[in-house]
């Protein structure tokens, strides 16, 4: 009789396997759709009933992954459920649950641990379990493995355990789930083989590494590389500004070097689920080894100072007109954390708005992607997006360009706003009403 391993490989390779995706957010939903499009039967599991209902009704809840794709997957047999017992139906279990920080900026693995505790009693021989949530090296082996083996299954023999980080760039039209290479590390060689077979069914290029820890560290290196370089360029921005030099002009000139330079751009502060959070997963784990991650801490410090820097520039601008921030009306342009998306997670706009309100300013915002300001973990603004026209623009004392969506009419803004604080380098030519931040 063939082993659980060879049966699993055969099912993954002939696409008769069922792929279970646990956590159907920004990472899990596109993966579910991709496996369905690749010809697999897919089962989605989430604790959020409204997401499950949406999917079973053939509807999306994330703008960038349209309802047409969900409806197609549904017609092809995709199902969603809140019942963890159904995970026994899946041959592959891919976990995409959140990995935030707690209030002490330490890893909060609650979601990963809770998910594993819920799934463990329903796991069976012949399954491959993949963790995709971003986390510190050692999580898969320290948190998942013992929970799986507690029920009598032997990892590497009965069941196969891998870590494969998600890579995504919301709003980037050049890449999609299928075309982003996938790094995979297994607990044993048999685990890795199962992992490669799992992802080869839906993704063009697989990049195997020697262990789950190497795969976990790979994801952190990628995100820390971004966080540190953004920190560097934010520091350069502050220096260049003091010297009367336009940092964007400098970056563009430096980027003409055909080797050894990669352009990163300054901004109003970090945003999104990954870059402001993930580096601190490594910082925390490194302490166990007596190591201080100084680059991470330093770039975190520089990047976290950016919202304050932007508000300082706003106050300078108002001051030129003999005004204080207290009592003025300020319009924020773009509240999503990056351009052309509706994603609000960790957006620096919220902190900038709070700082303005804290100094007695009144805030409003305009964002074509965010019609209503959603409730956030640390911020509450009962606001709706303001429609931009000449009359509206002139009625504010200043506008702060936080996120430079393509859908804004930049000429209209320039012609009508009394004062523009540009935190994105959108306006390259200087003008009396523009201050670069
Ligand atoms: N969003 C990105 O761009 C991105 C990119 C790379 C990596 N990641 C990482 O991927 C992971 C998931 O991120 P996301 O953006 O998809 O998060 P998300 O918040 O959009 O989605 C997570 C989903 O998991 C569900 N969930 C929570 N607990 C659960 C449980 N016990 N059982 C089943 N479902 C549960 C939630 O209801 C939610 O639907 C994180 O570790 C994140 O760091 C995210």
């Amino acid at each position: 009789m063939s082993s659980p391993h060879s049966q699993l490989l055969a099912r993954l390779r002939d696409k008769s396997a069922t792929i279970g995706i646990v956590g159907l957010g920004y990472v899990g939903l596109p993966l579910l759709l991709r496996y369905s499009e690749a010809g697999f039967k897919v089962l989605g599991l989430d604790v959020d009933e409204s997401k499950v209902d949406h999917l079973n009704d053939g509807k999306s809840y994330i703008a960038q992954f349209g309802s047409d794709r969900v409806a197609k997957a549904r017609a092809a047999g995709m199902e969603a459920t809140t019942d963890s017992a159904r995970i026994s139906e899946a041959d592959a279990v891919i976990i995409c649950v959140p990995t935030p920080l707690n209030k002490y900026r330490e890893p909060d693995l609650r979601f990963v641990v809770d998910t594993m505790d819920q799934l463990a009693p329903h796991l069976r021989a012949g399954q491959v379990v993949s963790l995709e949530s971003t986390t510190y090296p050692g999580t898969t082996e320290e948190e998942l493995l013992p929970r799986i083996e507690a029920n009598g299954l032997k990892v590497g023999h009965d069941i196969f355990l891998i870590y494969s980080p998600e890579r995504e760039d919301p709003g980037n039209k050049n890449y999609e789930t299928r075309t982003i290479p996938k790094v995979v590390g297994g607990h044993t060689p048999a685990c890795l083989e199962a992992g490669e077979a799992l992802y080869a069914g839906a993704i063009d290029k697989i990049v195997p590494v020697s262990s789950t820890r190497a795969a976990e560290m790979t994801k952190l290196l990628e995100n820390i590389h971004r966080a540190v370089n953004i920190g560097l360029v934010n520091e350069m921005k502050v220096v260049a500004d003091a010297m009367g030099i336009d940092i964007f002009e400098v970056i563009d000139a430096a980027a003409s070097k055909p080797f050894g330079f990669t352009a990163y751009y300054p901004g109003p502060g970090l945003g999104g689920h990954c870059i402001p959070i993930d580096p601190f997963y490594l910082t925390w784990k490194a302490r166990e080894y007596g190591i201080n991650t100084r680059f991470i801490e330093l770039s975190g410090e520089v990047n976290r100072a950016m919202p304050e820097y932007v508000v300082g520039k706003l106050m300078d601008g108002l001051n030129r007109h003999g005004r204080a921030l207290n009592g003025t009306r300020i319009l924020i342009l773009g509240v999503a954390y990056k351009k052309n998306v509706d994603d609000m997670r960790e957006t620096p706009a919220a902190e900038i708005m709070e700082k303005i309100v804290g100094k007695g300013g009144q805030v409003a915002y305009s964002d074509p992607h965010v019609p209503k300001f959603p409730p956030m973990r640390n911020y509450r603004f009962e606001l709706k997006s303001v429609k931009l026209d000449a009359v509206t623009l002139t009625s504010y004392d200043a506008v702060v360009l936080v996120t430079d969506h393509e859908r804004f009419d930049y000429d209209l803004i320039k012609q009508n706003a009394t004062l523009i604080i540009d935190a994105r380098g959108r306006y390259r030519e200087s003008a009396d009403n523009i201050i670069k931040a």
Side-chain angles (χ1 to χ4, degrees):
M1 220 182 79
S2 59
S3 67
H5 188 244
S6 52
Q7 282 177 30
L8 172 65
L9 292 183
R11 287 174 69 74
L12 290 169
R13 286 173 184 154
D14 71 11
K15 300 198 173 180
S16 60
T18 297
I19 311 296
I21 310 281
V22 184
L24 302 168
Y26 282 86
V27 171
L29 178 59
L31 204 58
L32 183 86
L33 298 175
R34 173 62 202 140
Y35 272 103
S36 176
E37 285 156 8
F40 288 90
K41 184 166 186 319
V42 294
L43 175 68
L45 179 72
D46 203 293
V47 287
D48 182 341
E49 274 180 32
S50 98
K51 286 190 176 134
V52 166
D53 291 345
H54 266 82
L55 294 180
N56 288 333
D57 288 345
K59 295 200 179 88
S60 179
Y61 40 81
I62 302 179
Q64 70 211 71
F65 316 115
S67 288
D68 50 332
R69 286 182 73 193
V70 176
K72 241 185 182 167
R74 183 76 180 117
M78 176 268 285
E79 265 188 274
T81 179
T82 54
D83 178 6
S84 6
R86 290 199 58 195
I87 213 64
S88 59
E89 295 168 28
D91 299 283
V93 182
I94 304 182
I95 300 169
C96 315
V97 295
T99 44
L101 295 174
N102 66 20
K103 62 178 175 179
Y104 305 107
R105 301 193 71 71
E106 290 169 346
D108 178 1
L109 277 189
R110 199 164 23 119
F111 297 99
V112 172
V113 167
D114 287 356
T115 301
M116 251 353 269
D117 286 339
Q118 285 154 14
L119 297 180
H122 311 292
L123 297 177
R124 58 166 173 83
Q127 287 179 316
V128 52
V129 177
S130 173
L131 178 64
E132 292 217 3
S133 306
T134 306
T135 186
Y136 56 77
T139 308
T140 309
E141 287 176 356
E142 292 160 18
E143 301 294 340
L144 268 60
L145 182 92
R147 287 179 168 79
I148 295 172
E149 293 201 329
N151 289 304
L153 293 166
K154 179 86 189 122
V155 169
H157 184 265
D158 307 311
I159 191 162
F160 306 93
L161 180 61
I162 59 173
Y163 179 81
S164 179
E166 167 62 15
R167 284 168 162 166
E168 218 221 319
D169 188 12
N172 186 332
K173 300 227 180 323
N174 299 326
Y175 294 97
E176 52 179 304
T177 309
R178 179 179 68 80
T179 55
I180 301 175
K182 198 95 175 85
V183 171
V184 181
H187 180 61
T188 67
C191 293
L192 176 60
E193 202 183 359
E196 290 186 84
L198 166 61
Y199 287 109
I203 285 157
D204 292 350
K205 185 173 161 56
I206 311 301
V207 183
V209 293
S210 64
S211 63
T212 53
R213 290 149 62 89
E216 288 160 337
M217 190 67 137
T218 303
K219 174 71 184 178
L220 291 182
L221 173 61
E222 292 167 13
N223 286 354
I224 289 165
H225 167 93
R226 271 190 73 72
V228 168
N229 279 286
I230 293 169
L232 172 67
V233 85
N234 274 331
E235 186 170 273
M236 294 286 288
K237 166 182 81 172
V238 176
V239 177
D241 183 70
M243 294 177 170
I245 299 166
D246 180 352
I247 189 67
F248 287 93
E249 182 189 1
V250 172
I251 295 168
D252 285 351
S256 67
K257 184 179 176 187
F259 43 82
F261 181 82
T262 304
Y264 286 85
Y265 294 93
L270 296 180
H273 189 317
C274 296
I275 310 296
I277 292 172
D278 302 347
F280 296 97
Y281 267 71
L282 189 65
T283 298
W284 180 83
K285 190 66 176 174
R287 274 190 225 128
E288 189 180 311
Y289 296 81
I291 297 169
N292 290 328
T293 53
R294 286 174 289 168
F295 273 109
I296 297 175
E297 298 286 0
L298 187 58
S299 59
E301 207 177 289
V302 174
N303 290 329
R304 277 206 299 274
M306 286 304 116
E308 184 78 49
Y309 178 77
V310 172
V311 175
K313 288 287 177 187
L314 169 62
M315 291 194 294
D316 289 350
L318 292 167
N319 194 38
R320 276 192 209 167
H321 296 262
R323 306 281 315 260
L325 182 48
N326 195 346
T328 46
R329 297 177 69 237
I330 310 298
L331 181 66
I332 305 295
L333 299 178
V335 290
Y337 88 85
K338 68 183 283 193
K339 69 176 176 183
N340 306 335
V341 301
D342 63 351
D343 196 336
M344 291 289 288
R345 289 174 301 169
E346 310 293 325
T347 178
E351 191 178 338
I352 291 172
M353 289 165 72
E354 193 187 60
K355 285 186 187 306
I356 294 172
V357 171
K359 291 185 191 301
Q362 276 180 43
V363 283
Y365 81 94
S366 181
D367 191 317
H369 300 275
V370 186
K372 190 168 178 287
F373 202 99
M376 297 179 71
R377 215 173 345 118
N378 301 322
Y379 303 100
R380 285 271 180 286
F381 292 99
E382 296 294 332
L383 294 172
K384 285 188 180 154
S385 175
V386 167
K387 198 170 169 303
L388 277 195
D389 55 37
V391 177
T392 309
L393 281 162
T394 27
S395 72
Y396 288 90
D397 297 295
V399 301
V400 183
L401 180 58
V402 173
T403 304
D404 53 339
H405 295 306
E406 296 301 339
R407 279 164 66 184
F408 284 134
D409 181 339
Y410 290 96
D411 288 336
L412 178 85
I413 296 166
K414 188 175 170 186
Q415 279 153 21
N416 295 286
T418 315
L419 172 65
I420 302 170
I421 306 301
D422 178 6
R424 291 288 181 182
R426 186 77 198 198
Y427 294 103
R428 295 296 174 91
E429 279 173 34
S430 48
D432 284 347
N433 64 340
I434 298 175
I435 290 187
K436 291 171 185 167

